């Protein structure tokens, strides 16, 4: 130790004694989503991201215009960018109330800013992360940011979700039972449209209760919405599974066609036998989540229908810090077919593109409606 002391002491002024506890940086922080971005970074990024749309709304923006904005972080981690977005929009909402008046009653134990934060969190903010622990951390971050002493935690379960933002299908593709847009199957299309519409109706009721402390009612509505989407998710996940279970395009299409026939048999079956036909398909769909490198598909238009069915459907703002990963890093940490999926998702992409480029393309092509940026 004496020989090393001169070299160690300048860089380790407090040498840890034997048996003491200490923290050592590992990759677990990144995997768990616990790498929290400081406000010194989130504040200027969020302000710059929101500036164009807030300038378009103008200083006379109404409270409804503020609360109608839909904001998403597709790789939210522990929610730092959503927290900052909540602060910014809450400030604008309070200013709008000062100009146009406030229709929402102000609880005796709250000030306007606290109420505004809770409303923004429930009605405007959305986030997705493939790490389920990160989702919990993001909820905690927003709970702390919107905490009202005499009120339950802000209800966020409908908007902060677990899933892989880059792996999923549109409603059209689920109706086709294909990762490509093909001729739709009438039976599947009918099911998809009916169930998604039902889920949207229930989710809109949740947002309509944003000022209510009735968490059991919100939980019940979300449970019913989730049940409405259950079969649609099975079909979407099953289609994705057909891609990841095979290596060659021809084999993938063959398997997809086989699943297509089994889905038709299930949906056409007598109600007494339908569950037995559905069960093995659901197991195949769920197996993708149990892989050594699990993939939780996330079908954006199905999971957030109230965002994509409105006029100029899509999110108004995409904000965050998407993950970076080069080709080799991505290959080592992902399902063997993950890179192939990204090349299908974004035609023309080179196989050596960084993961962050796929997040940019996903945001531009699937989330933000172009006319909002013009």
């Amino acid at each position: 130790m004496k020989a090393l002391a001169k070299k160690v002491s300048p860089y380790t002024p407090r040498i840890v004694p034997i048996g003491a506890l200490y923290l050592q940086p590992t990759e677990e922080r990144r995997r768990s989503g616990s790498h929290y971005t400081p406000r010194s970074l989130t504040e200027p990024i969020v302000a710059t991201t929101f500036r164009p749309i807030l300038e378009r709304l103008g200083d006379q923006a109404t409270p409804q215009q503020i609360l109608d904005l839909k904001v998403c972080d597709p790789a939210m981690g522990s929610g730092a960018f959503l927290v900052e977005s909540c602060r910014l929009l809450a400030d604008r909402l309070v200013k709008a109330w000062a100009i146009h008046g406030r229709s929402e009653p102000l609880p005796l134990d709250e000030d306007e800013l606290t109420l505004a934060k809770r409303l923004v969190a429930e009605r405007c903010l959305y986030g997705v992360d493939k790490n389920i622990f990160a989702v919990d951390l993001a909820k905690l971050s927003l709970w702390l940011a919107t905490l009202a002493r005499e009120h339950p935690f802000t209800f966020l379960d409908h908007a902060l979700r677990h899933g892989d933002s880059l792996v999923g299908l549109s409603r059209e593709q689920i109706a086709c039972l294909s990762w490509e847009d093909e001729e739709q199957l009438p039976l599947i299309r009918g099911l998809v449209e009916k169930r998604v519409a039902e889920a949207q109706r229930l989710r809109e009721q949740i947002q309509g209760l944003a000022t209510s402390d009735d968490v059991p009612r919100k939980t019940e509505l979300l449970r019913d919405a989730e049940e409405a989407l259950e079969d649609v998710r099975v079909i979407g996940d099953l289609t994705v599974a057909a891609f990841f279970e095979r290596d060659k395009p021809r084999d993938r299409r063959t398997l997809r066609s086989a699943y297509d026939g089994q889905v038709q048999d299930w949906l056409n079956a007598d109600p007494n036998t339908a569950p037995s036909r559905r069960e093995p398909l659901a197991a195949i769909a769920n197996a993708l989540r149990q892989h050594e490198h699990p993939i939780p598909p996330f079908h954006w238009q199905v999971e957030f229908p109230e965002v994509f069915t409105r006029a100029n459907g899509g999110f108004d703002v995409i904000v965050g810090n998407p993950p970076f990963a080069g080709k080799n890093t991505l290959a080592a940490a992902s399902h063997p077919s993950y890179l192939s999926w990204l090349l299908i998702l974004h035609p023309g992409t080179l196989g050596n593109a960084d993961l962050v480029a796929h997040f940019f393309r996903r945001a531009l092509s699937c989330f933000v409606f172009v006319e909002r940026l013009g």
Side-chain angles (χ1 to χ4, degrees):
M1 285 297 294
K2 289 183 178 180
L4 292 174
K6 291 182 179 180
K7 293 184 177 294
V8 172
S9 57
Y11 307 103
T12 311
R14 299 178 185 175
I15 298 178
V16 180
I18 295 174
L21 296 176
Y22 66 96
L23 297 177
Q24 181 175 349
T26 69
E27 281 299 308
E28 188 59 29
R29 288 186 72 196
R30 185 177 298 276
R31 287 195 296 268
S32 65
S34 57
H35 190 83
Y36 198 90
T37 309
R39 192 175 183 187
S40 60
L41 294 178
T42 62
E43 188 172 22
I45 291 173
V46 168
T48 301
T49 303
F50 275 82
R51 185 175 297 121
I53 195 163
L54 292 180
E55 288 179 349
R56 175 176 294 183
L57 291 178
D59 294 336
Q60 300 298 310
T62 66
Q64 190 61 47
Q65 286 177 308
I66 300 298
L67 290 173
D68 280 345
L69 293 176
K70 302 298 183 184
V71 182
C72 182
D73 185 343
M76 65 182 167
S78 46
F81 287 93
L82 291 178
V83 168
E84 189 59 41
S85 299
C86 186
R87 293 190 186 108
L88 184 148
L89 287 181
D91 285 340
R92 291 300 296 258
L93 181 56
V94 170
K95 292 177 182 177
W97 282 339
I99 297 171
H100 301 282
R102 173 173 39 80
S103 59
E104 294 82 3
L106 182 65
L108 295 177
D109 60 317
E110 280 189 302
D111 56 30
E112 280 195 325
L113 184 58
T114 303
L115 175 62
K117 286 179 180 178
R118 291 200 292 120
L119 285 172
V120 166
E122 284 203 35
R123 292 184 53 175
C124 303
L125 305 183
Y126 295 79
V128 180
D129 202 282
K130 67 186 298 184
N131 188 311
I132 196 167
F133 299 110
V135 178
D136 290 336
L137 284 170
K139 289 179 183 178
L140 177 60
S141 298
L142 275 169
W143 284 338
L144 294 175
T146 62
L147 187 63
R149 187 169 53 186
E150 301 298 328
H151 297 268
F153 287 142
T154 306
F155 190 78
L156 303 169
D157 290 356
H158 66 299
L160 303 187
R161 306 303 299 271
H162 174 229
D164 189 322
S165 292
L166 300 179
V167 180
L169 304 174
S170 67
R171 287 169 60 174
E172 196 83 357
Q173 289 170 323
I174 295 175
C176 304
L177 216 152
S178 175
W179 48 87
E180 300 168 326
D181 292 329
E182 301 174 351
E183 184 178 353
Q184 295 187 4
L185 307 172
L187 189 62
I188 295 178
R189 179 174 186 175
L191 173 75
V192 172
E193 296 299 322
K194 178 181 178 181
R195 298 293 182 83
V196 173
E198 175 65 9
Q200 178 175 339
R201 182 183 67 82
L202 294 165
R203 290 174 59 86
E204 287 174 345
Q205 289 184 52
I206 294 173
Q207 294 190 327
L209 294 172
T211 58
S212 170
D213 288 344
D214 192 353
V215 174
R217 177 55 179 160
K218 296 176 185 178
T219 302
E220 179 185 11
L221 288 167
L222 180 58
R223 185 188 64 240
D224 292 344
E226 294 291 283
E227 290 178 358
L229 293 175
E230 193 172 331
D231 289 346
V232 178
R233 287 198 188 102
V234 168
I235 296 172
D237 291 1
L238 185 69
T239 305
V240 172
F243 183 96
F244 282 92
E245 286 181 4
R246 297 291 184 268
D247 297 327
K248 299 179 180 179
R250 181 176 179 180
D251 293 339
R252 288 169 177 155
R253 293 190 183 96
T254 299
L255 184 58
R256 184 205 70 83
S257 181
Y259 288 161
D260 179 349
Q262 293 177 58
V263 168
Q264 294 281 12
D265 290 343
W266 154 36
L267 297 180
N268 281 311
D270 181 272
N272 294 324
T273 61
S276 63
R277 294 178 182 271
R278 179 189 184 280
E279 186 175 345
L281 299 178
I284 293 170
N286 189 56
L288 201 56
R289 301 170 184 268
Q290 311 303 321
H291 191 271
E292 178 187 359
H293 297 293
I295 296 176
F298 193 80
H299 313 292
W300 286 88
Q301 295 177 3
V302 169
E303 301 296 341
F304 298 145
E306 69 278 6
V307 174
F308 291 94
T309 57
R310 61 186 186 145
N312 288 350
F315 289 101
D316 299 283
V317 177
I318 303 293
V319 67
N321 181 23
F324 288 75
K327 177 182 177 181
N328 294 337
T329 302
L330 186 60
S334 304
H335 190 288
S337 294
Y338 197 82
L339 182 57
S340 297
W341 172 269
L342 294 180
L343 298 181
I344 291 290
L345 178 68
H346 296 136
T349 301
L350 298 178
N352 59 357
D354 194 280
L355 182 63
V356 71
H358 292 282
F359 272 91
F360 287 144
R361 287 195 59 176
R362 187 71 155 158
L364 289 173
S365 64
C366 298
F367 302 157
V368 181
F369 194 79
V370 176
E371 286 188 12
R372 287 205 182 94
L373 302 177

